[in-house]
């Protein structure tokens, strides 16, 4: 298994969000070669501002593993995490983050802020950006283009 494969699973999660009218962001949390948790945006459906794909995947992983420290984990997400999600990744001790497309309006890993590798925090995350970036960005662009046309 590799980054492209797991990002494909995150894209499948993003498509689930797209299909129900949620902003199409998907996340998959992996430890070793095992998918431990998946999530996609559910803010509109759940009426919950914190129901981002990453947070949902983190919560599911903690529940499935019976622990809050996600050491050894890699989170794959289609769009660069926002400040809340980047903070949740640091606080849950995820070791590695792989994301698809940058978010120049809310990205908190490299675009606007750098929470994931901030020296002031007690945990830093290894980051790989740009995996299947065109596919991830295209899904977002198509979603918002469709919304504007309604």
């Amino acid at each position: 298994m590799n980054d492209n494969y797991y990002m494909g699973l995150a894209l499948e999660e993003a498509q689930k969000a797209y299909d129900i009218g949620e902003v199409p962001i998907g996340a998959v949390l992996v430890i070793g070669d095992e998918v431990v948790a998946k999530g996609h945006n559910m803010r509109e459906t759940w009426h919950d501002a914190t129901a981002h794909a990453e947070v949902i995947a983190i919560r599911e992983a903690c529940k499935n593993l019976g622990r809050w420290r996600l050491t050894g984990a890699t989170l794959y997400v289609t769009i660069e995490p926002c400040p809340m999600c980047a903070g949740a990744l640091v606080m849950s001790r995820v070791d590695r983050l792989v994301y698809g497309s940058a978010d120049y309006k809310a990205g908190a890993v490299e675009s606007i802020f750098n929470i994931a590798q901030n020296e002031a925090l007690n945990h830093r995350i290894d980051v790989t950006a740009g995996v299947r970036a065109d596919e991830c960005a295209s899904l977002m662009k198509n979603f918002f283009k469709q919304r504007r046309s309604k």
Side-chain angles (χ1 to χ4, degrees), residues 7 9-27 39-44 51-54 76-80 100-103 132-147:
M7 188 59 73
L9 297 179
L11 279 160
E12 289 175 11
E13 287 296 310
Q15 185 64 52
K16 290 177 187 177
Y18 188 101
D19 292 344
I20 60 171
E22 294 279 355
V23 174
I25 299 174
H40 55 271
N41 275 6
M42 293 295 288
R43 289 188 310 174
E44 303 299 329
H52 290 203
E54 301 95 322
Y76 293 85
V77 63
T78 54
I79 302 296
E80 178 183 1
S101 184
D103 183 348
R132 298 178 72 165
D134 291 342
E135 292 170 81
C136 295
S138 179
L139 194 58
M140 290 287 278
K141 288 176 187 171
N142 291 340
F143 176 80
F144 286 108
K145 182 179 179 181
Q146 181 182 34
R147 274 185 103 174

Side-chain angles (χ1 to χ4, degrees), residues 39-111:
H40 55 271
N41 275 6
M42 293 295 288
R43 289 188 310 174
E44 303 299 329
T45 303
W46 293 352
H47 309 290
D48 179 353
T50 68
H52 290 203
E54 301 95 322
V55 171
I56 292 168
I58 289 168
R59 287 178 182 161
E60 182 181 324
C62 291
K63 180 181 173 186
N64 292 343
L65 296 169
R67 60 187 167 107
W68 66 267
R69 286 181 187 90
L70 299 177
T71 53
T74 298
L75 183 87
Y76 293 85
V77 63
T78 54
I79 302 296
E80 178 183 1
C82 72
M84 175 184 70
C85 294
L89 291 166
V90 169
M91 299 310 290
S92 63
R93 309 298 194 268
V94 167
D95 286 340
R96 183 168 179 245
L97 167 68
V98 179
Y99 73 86
S101 184
D103 183 348
Y104 298 107
K105 294 184 179 182
V109 175
E110 295 177 310
S111 295

Side-chain angles (χ1 to χ4, degrees), residues 28 38 41 96 107 124:
V28 175
K38 297 178 184 180
N41 275 6
R96 183 168 179 245
R124 280 165 287 295

